[in-house]
Amino acid sequence: MIFFIAWRNIWRNKTRSVLVAGSIALGLWAGAFVMAFAWGLYQNNIHDVIYRQYSHIQVHHPQFNPDMDPAALLSKSPAWNSMRVQPEVQSLTTRLMVSGMVQSAVAAGGCVLLGIHPSEEAIQTELESLLVQGEYFPLSKMPQVLIGAKLSRKLKVKLHQKVVVSFSDTAGNISAVALRISGIYRSANAALDERMLYTEHQTLAGLLGLDSNSFHEAAILLRQPDKLDAVQAQLASMFPGARVQNWMQLSPETDIVISSFNLYMYIVIGIILLALSFGIVNTMLMAVLERVREIGVLQSIGMNKRRIFFMIMLETLFLSLLGSPAGLFIARFTVYYTGFYGIDLSRFSEGFSQYGFSATVHPVLETSRYYVIGVMSLCTALLASAYPAYRALQLKPVEAVRKI
Amino acid sequence: MEQNTTVIDAHELTKIYNGRQVPVKAIDGVHLHLEEGEFAAVVGPSGSGKSTLLHLIGGLDTPTSGNVVLAGTEITRLSEHKLIDFRLHHIGFVFQAYNLVPVLTARENIGFVMQLQGLPRSSINKRVDELLAQVDMIEKADVKPAKLSGGQQQRVAVARALASRPRIVLADEPTANLDSVNAGKLLDLMARLNREEHITFLFSTHDPRVIEKARRVITLVDGRVVSDTRPG
Ligand SMILES: Nc1ncnc2c1ncn2[C@@H]1O[C@H](COP(=O)(O)OP(=O)(O)OP(=O)(O)O)[C@@H](O)[C@H]1O
Ligand SMILES: [Mg+2]
């Protein structure tokens, strides 16, 4: 019966109740959608980190470091080649890397020269798709190199011109090689564009006096990312003593962003709910003050304080129970819809696609997060309802019935 | 002859309101004794303390001194919580207006008190039908108060006051908002219920025609009982 009265009470002032329930719905919708959108952006970022930069797993010699010792080498085994056919593995490749100097006729700078397998790298890092000028390793007698657009400006070199790269070989001797620029690329990361030069594996292996099995870095892209741990373990036993790292270890900043997402989400939702709770408290206080006389009569005929408290609390709860599922339902729908079709940011900001960033965001939010938001809003409603209900208890029946 | 028992026994009742400027003695040393089945009116000029007296007797307000014993229970000693429960089971109230819960129909308003008492649904329904018939409101049973006339609302309020099978019904100017025809009808109804259900009624009024129907008239002036008569 008290449920019944409370339920009918909220419909006494329809406009007011609809406004409160609507603002709760709107607030939660906005909160959930912003979360989904942010998570979608992170997913793009993670996608770039994996598919453009690190792959899922990399293997290095334990002594390998960015200012590398060219002798920190590993060697491909037959087991490595057979990994290609494992269903969870999408692609894999190996690279040689040396640090050195790159020079043109007018300028010079530090660089990293990578020896890559062009066809594998095209899948592994989508390197070919970054090309803005020239060709991706065309057949040629002359050793070739891909350089970044930024470096080409700095060195004032054009396509088909030559640069000289000097580096120390595995024995510690300085050697230099002239490479013809066959292509110019541009990636999302300008700092890397200025340093990374790509040549063919066999070219660099020849210069270093290495066989085709030697490598500094191996990268594996997975078809089934949930098998990450298993493949990582497999690689660790394939290359005993080597450093086998997954993308979260290679890019800890990305990992931190993901793990701080929860906190970020609770703060945003918390602020929205706090704002909403002021609206709820205000509305329910108005409802209580309007009904002073009625509550007085109820007390006079024997409705005890517990029941009156409960009645007012229920009214508040009903309001938010109308609002929050509606808001979350609409949010789920919006996220599903925009997640499916994607939101094309290039319409709003040109910078994205130009630099190889994915301009389309697919908002996404795990189902459990909707429940978390739902529970948070329920707790807020309970807290917000306590004060108006408490105020209703403060009413003295005599004073209330004397008010006409 | 039936054995009369005391239902209301107010002793040396005083209520002083600490108003803004001077304290107001709204009730000043009132003794009041009502036997079961009485049909008594409290009359007096405005401000004489009629409402205050009924509120004290009904346990809505606490006296400054003195005590009230209802059907053997000294209600002036009950805790707030026990007092609410006592009202639920032993006292019916009818106020001047706005007695009914606006979101409930006439039927639901009457049944609500019994639900608070925790009675089973079947006996509630039976009693509600009975009461609706007694106050002649069967046709409007499923109408909400806003769509009832003043007289109809007060009849439902009387039915609700009786629903809990109280020992006493206290009515503070139940006819004040009614025209004389409806006021007369309401009084006739109360008088009949008083006879048939043997419930004690104590009501306040200004209305001479209502006073006429009372079997006992208690007159208050400045918070004191100045006369207590049994006409007829
Ligand atoms: N809450 C209060 N605070 C101060 N004084 C009050 C309060 N309630 C009532 N009084 C005073 O107590 C006195 C008695 O009031 P009460 O309402 O009992 O009179 P009444 O006989 O019912 O009057 P009426 O016929 O106008 O309803 C009046 O002087 C009134 O001003
Ligand atoms: Mg009065």
Side-chain angles (χ1 to χ4, degrees), chain A residues 402, chain B residues 17 24 26 45-52 173 206:
Chain A
R402 273 188 188 272
Chain B
Y17 286 114
V24 178
S46 184
S48 57
K50 304 183 293 293
S51 297
T52 307
E173 309 209 31
H206 296 295

Side-chain angles (χ1 to χ4, degrees), chain A residues 1-2 4-6 8-9 12 291 293-294 296-307 393 395-398 401-404, chain B residues 17 51-52 55 60-61 80-81 84 87-88 91 93 95-105 108 112-113 115-117 144 160:
Chain A
M1 193 64 173
I2 290 176
F4 185 68
I5 294 180
R8 285 211 189 152
N9 275 339
R12 280 162 80 166
R291 301 213 304 259
R293 162 115 200 153
E294 187 182 323
V297 169
L298 288 172
Q299 287 179 319
S300 305
I301 66 169
M303 187 159 165
N304 63 30
K305 299 205 157 190
R306 193 167 42 88
R307 283 170 163 148
L393 289 192
L395 296 173
K396 291 237 162 23
V398 238
V401 297
R402 273 188 188 272
K403 288 203 179 88
I404 298 187
Chain B
Y17 286 114
S51 297
T52 307
H55 291 160
L60 295 182
D61 208 350
E80 203 180 351
H81 188 78
I84 293 178
R87 286 204 295 266
L88 176 60
I91 309 175
F93 277 101
F95 300 101
Q96 184 175 330
Y98 305 108
N99 276 292
L100 305 176
V101 180
V103 295
L104 299 180
T105 63
E108 289 161 351
F112 181 52
V113 186
Q115 288 192 331
L116 289 179
Q117 288 181 318
K144 296 209 180 129
R160 186 197 50 197

Side-chain angles (χ1 to χ4, degrees), chain A residues 119-394:
Chain A
S119 58
E120 289 175 7
E121 207 67 56
I123 302 168
Q124 203 75 20
T125 55
E126 300 172 36
L127 182 60
E128 190 174 1
S129 70
L130 301 180
L131 222 58
V132 290
Q133 269 184 60
E135 280 179 84
Y136 186 69
F137 298 106
L139 284 171
S140 156
K141 283 188 205 105
M142 174 88 193
Q144 312 165 54
V145 70
L146 288 185
I147 70 169
K150 189 152 186 217
L151 183 62
S152 80
R153 275 197 303 279
K154 184 174 150 189
L155 298 179
K156 298 194 169 63
V157 287
K158 296 208 182 81
L159 203 59
H160 306 310
Q161 292 183 335
K162 283 184 206 160
V163 289
V164 173
V165 179
S166 47
F167 53 89
S168 57
D169 64 18
T170 48
N173 303 315
I174 300 289
S175 62
V177 59
L179 300 166
R180 185 198 294 277
I181 300 166
S182 66
I184 295 175
Y185 72 90
R186 178 152 57 199
S187 78
N189 192 329
L192 290 183
D193 286 11
E194 199 180 334
R195 286 175 54 81
M196 308 298 265
L197 280 74
Y198 297 90
T199 188
E200 288 184 71
H201 187 277
Q202 66 205 49
T203 309
L204 190 53
L207 292 167
L208 291 169
L210 298 170
D211 62 37
S212 65
N213 282 331
S214 300
F215 67 87
H216 289 111
E217 178 171 286
I220 297 94
L221 215 49
L222 297 180
R223 188 170 283 128
Q224 297 162 352
D226 51 315
K227 298 275 168 57
L228 185 74
D229 291 342
V231 177
Q232 201 175 348
Q234 185 189 351
L235 287 163
S237 63
M238 189 185 297
F239 298 102
R243 198 159 67 213
V244 181
Q245 291 167 294
N246 62 39
W247 62 272
M248 289 169 274
Q249 294 161 325
L250 292 160
S251 175
E253 64 279 7
T254 309
D255 194 35
I256 289 168
V257 164
I258 293 168
S259 48
S260 60
F261 181 75
N262 270 332
L263 182 68
Y264 176 46
M265 156 162 162
Y266 294 138
I267 291 172
V268 169
I269 300 289
I271 290 171
I272 290 175
L273 288 176
L274 187 70
L276 287 177
S277 66
F278 282 107
I280 298 174
V281 168
N282 185 43
T283 306
M284 286 312 296
L285 270 182
M286 263 161 71
V288 166
L289 295 178
E290 274 173 12
R291 301 213 304 259
V292 165
R293 162 115 200 153
E294 187 182 323
I295 292 167
V297 169
L298 288 172
Q299 287 179 319
S300 305
I301 66 169
M303 187 159 165
N304 63 30
K305 299 205 157 190
R306 193 167 42 88
R307 283 170 163 148
I308 286 170
F309 188 84
F310 191 52
M311 179 178 82
I312 303 292
M313 260 190 120
L314 272 179
E315 286 180 34
T316 320
L317 268 186
F318 282 150
L319 276 183
S320 51
L321 285 180
L322 283 175
S324 26
L328 291 176
F329 182 80
I330 301 169
R332 186 108 170 98
F333 177 79
T334 327
V335 168
Y336 184 80
Y337 182 87
T338 54
F340 187 79
Y341 290 103
I343 299 174
D344 187 4
L345 292 180
S346 60
R347 263 184 290 168
F348 307 106
S349 152
E350 289 191 346
F352 283 94
S353 47
Q354 219 176 319
Y355 292 101
F357 262 126
S358 327
T360 306
V361 177
H362 295 268
V364 56
L365 203 60
E366 282 167 42
T367 312
S368 63
R369 309 240 183 224
Y370 292 96
Y371 291 118
V372 171
I373 299 175
V375 169
M376 282 175 76
S377 77
L378 197 69
C379 294
T380 312
L382 276 173
L383 286 176
S385 64
Y387 182 64
Y390 168 78
R391 285 295 297 268
L393 289 192
Q394 303 302 301

Side-chain angles (χ1 to χ4, degrees), chain A residues 103-119:
Chain A
Q103 288 174 256
S104 69
V106 294
C111 75
V112 174
L113 181 64
L114 287 93
I116 59 163
H117 299 285
S119 58

